[in-house]
């Protein structure tokens, strides 16, 4: 008899949530970083730095999870995240802060690469979509907590205080994972030797490509929502943070609903295609409302953030199931790598785009890319 699977899922969520917390907090630090003298382009680079670090490390962490197990991988990564976040808290200047935040992302990649294997290993297929959706709610829950707490902490203790709180959370998560996580059963050596690469067919590549396109609206809306509401609509930082928290909580509920939906229809990819169309429609509505200066922009933006993150678990579940237990860590590492390429480039590129052409054009581009993701998503893996 194995360990309680829900406890394992909860610990995986804790690890992933702790690993996402620095990124969620950085999004809320945009006004403080601007006040510290960083331009919007510089802030975009800093926001993309953790994602860039993840890109460099995700496949390696996935290999470690395949080879050495989830508990060791997540524990070591969270300890490294604790140390690098502390270093970032005391870094000064664009270069030093950018380098340390890149290292933070590289360390936090461990939770993304390994926690998905816990779900794959301990949950049967008929419950896996909901379990993976629940696991993916760790990100919006973490983002919501960042939205509520970051503005208050930064007012009292500055950017350094926020980064040190993130460091403490990672340390607590490292201790919990190191003590309580039990690795799922490992494949037999013969199965490992016989398993061929799932990348010999196009299905996984198409899932990765569609996910990359869907990252753009997710990060365009979530990263620039606070900057838009504060800079263009005159909201306070606390009010904008509360709106971001609501959006993340709605996104978390959406991930649960999408996971249950995929279990009910016994397909991860059909809901993914349909949700891409809905995602595009909502983000294009945000673009139109922004251009028109409509009062509906703020609620539509909250809805767009929620919808754009709702289907995240569908692609992860599809990748893990198609790759199988032998390749799951590397395939999930590749999935995270592809998504973090988009997450790293989106704030930097669109931060430069917004200055000359405005927020409306940036939202329109994000919506168009979401629409392209629908036909790119394969009908079925295999």
């Amino acid at each position: 008899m194995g360990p309680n699977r829900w406890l394992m899922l909860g610990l995986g969520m804790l690890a992933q949530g702790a690993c996402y917390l620095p990124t969620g907090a950085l999004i809320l630090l945009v006004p403080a970083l601007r006040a510290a003298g960083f331009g919007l382009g510089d802030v975009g680079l800093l926001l993309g730095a953790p994602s860039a670090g993840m890109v460099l490390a995700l496949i390696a962490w996935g290999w470690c999870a395949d080879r050495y197990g989830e508990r060791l991988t997540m524990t070591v990564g969270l300890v490294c995240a604790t140390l690098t976040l502390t270093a970032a808290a005391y870094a000064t200047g664009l270069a030093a802060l950018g380098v340390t935040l890149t290292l933070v992302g590289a360390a936090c990649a461990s939770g993304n690469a390994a926690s998905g294997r816990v779900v794959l290993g301990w949950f049967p297929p008929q419950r896996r979509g909901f379990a993976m959706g629940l696991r993916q709610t760790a990100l919006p829950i973490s983002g919501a907590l960042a939205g509520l707490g970051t503005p208050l902490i930064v007012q009292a203790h500055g950017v350094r205080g926020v980064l040190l709180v993130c460091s403490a959370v990672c340390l607590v998560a490292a201790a919990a994972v190191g003590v309580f996580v039990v690795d799922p059963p490992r494949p037999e050596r013969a199965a490992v030797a016989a398993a061929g690469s799932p990348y010999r067919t196009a299905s996984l590549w198409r899932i990765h490509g569609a996910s990359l396109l869907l990252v753009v609206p997710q990060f365009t809306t979530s990263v620039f929502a606070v900057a838009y509401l504060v800079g263009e609509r005159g909201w306070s930082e606390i009010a904008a943070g509360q709106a971001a928290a609501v959006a993340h909580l709605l996104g978390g509920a959406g991930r649960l609903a999408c996971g249950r939906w995929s279990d009910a229809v016994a397909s991860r990819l059909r809901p993914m295609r349909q949700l891409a169309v809905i995602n595009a429609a909502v983000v294009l509505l945000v673009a139109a409302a922004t251009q028109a200066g409509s009062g509906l922009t703020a609620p539509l933006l909250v809805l767009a953030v929620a919808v754009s993150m709702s289907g995240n678990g569908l692609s992860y579940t599809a990748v893990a199931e198609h790759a199988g237990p032998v390749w799951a860590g590397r395939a999930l590492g590749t999935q995270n790598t592809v998504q973090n390429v988009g997450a790293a480039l989106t704030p930097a590129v669109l931060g430069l785009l917004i200055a000359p052409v405005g927020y409306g054009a940036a939202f329109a581009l994000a919506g168009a890319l979401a629409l392209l993701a629908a036909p790119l998503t394969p009908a079925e893996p295999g």
Side-chain angles (χ1 to χ4, degrees):
M1 183 175 178
N4 186 300
R5 63 167 65 102
W6 297 105
L7 174 61
M8 297 301 102
L9 174 59
L11 291 167
M13 291 175 63
L14 174 62
Q16 188 168 21
C19 286
Y20 177 74
L21 187 61
T23 299
L26 277 174
I27 293 171
L28 277 297
L29 289 176
V30 170
L33 292 170
R34 292 296 304 276
F38 294 103
L40 190 58
D42 293 337
V43 171
L45 290 172
L46 292 175
L47 291 176
S51 296
M54 287 188 177
V55 168
L56 298 175
L58 274 163
I59 295 177
W61 284 120
W63 178 86
C64 288
D66 286 337
R67 181 67 177 83
Y68 298 109
E70 294 79 2
R71 181 174 66 175
L72 180 63
T73 300
M74 289 189 288
T75 303
V76 171
L78 285 163
V79 170
C80 291
T82 300
L83 298 175
T84 52
L85 278 164
T86 302
Y90 291 94
T92 57
L94 178 63
L97 188 55
V99 168
T100 51
L101 288 176
T102 301
L103 294 175
V104 168
C108 288
S110 60
N112 289 340
S115 61
R117 281 187 56 94
V118 175
V119 176
L120 183 69
W122 288 121
F123 281 83
Q126 63 271 24
R127 295 185 180 179
R128 197 172 288 155
F130 179 74
M132 189 69 86
L134 188 57
R135 174 242 188 190
Q136 291 300 109
T137 63
L139 276 69
I141 290 172
S142 182
L145 292 175
L148 294 173
T150 298
L152 301 176
I153 297 171
V154 76
Q155 283 186 359
H157 303 289
V159 174
R160 177 175 295 172
V162 173
L163 294 175
L164 288 176
V165 168
C166 292
S167 176
V169 171
C170 286
L171 183 60
V172 170
V177 168
V179 172
F180 295 111
V181 163
V182 178
D183 290 340
R186 318 303 295 174
E188 298 292 335
R189 289 183 179 272
V192 173
S197 171
Y199 287 98
R200 292 174 296 180
T201 63
S203 293
L204 270 179
W205 294 112
R206 290 180 63 183
I207 298 170
H208 292 328
S211 300
L212 175 61
L213 293 176
L214 292 171
V215 161
V216 178
Q218 179 181 345
F219 273 76
T220 300
T221 54
S222 62
V223 167
F224 293 107
V226 171
Y228 172 78
L229 293 174
V230 173
E232 302 294 322
R233 308 298 293 189
W235 288 33
S236 70
E237 294 177 21
I238 291 178
Q242 290 171 341
V246 170
H248 279 82
L249 290 174
L250 289 174
R255 289 184 174 184
L256 287 176
C258 287
R260 181 70 76 184
W261 177 17
S262 74
D263 285 340
V265 300
S267 172
R268 318 302 177 191
L269 298 177
R270 187 172 3 130
M272 184 176 165
R273 286 194 305 276
Q274 295 169 351
L275 195 62
V277 176
I278 298 171
N279 190 353
V282 175
V283 177
L284 289 173
L285 283 175
V286 172
T290 302
Q291 287 295 101
S294 170
L296 294 175
T297 303
L300 282 172
L301 190 53
V302 169
L303 179 62
V305 173
V307 170
S308 66
M309 66 174 59
S310 292
N312 193 265
L314 298 174
S315 58
Y316 279 87
T317 310
V319 166
E321 289 181 337
H322 183 62
V326 175
W327 276 80
R330 282 162 286 183
L332 287 170
T334 303
Q335 171 73 4
N336 275 290
T337 298
V338 169
Q339 289 203 307
N340 279 280
V341 167
L345 292 177
T346 296
V349 173
L350 293 188
L352 297 174
L353 178 66
I354 287 169
V357 303
Y359 284 96
F363 293 142
L365 175 61
L369 292 177
L371 191 59
L372 290 176
L376 182 58
T377 304
E380 289 295 339

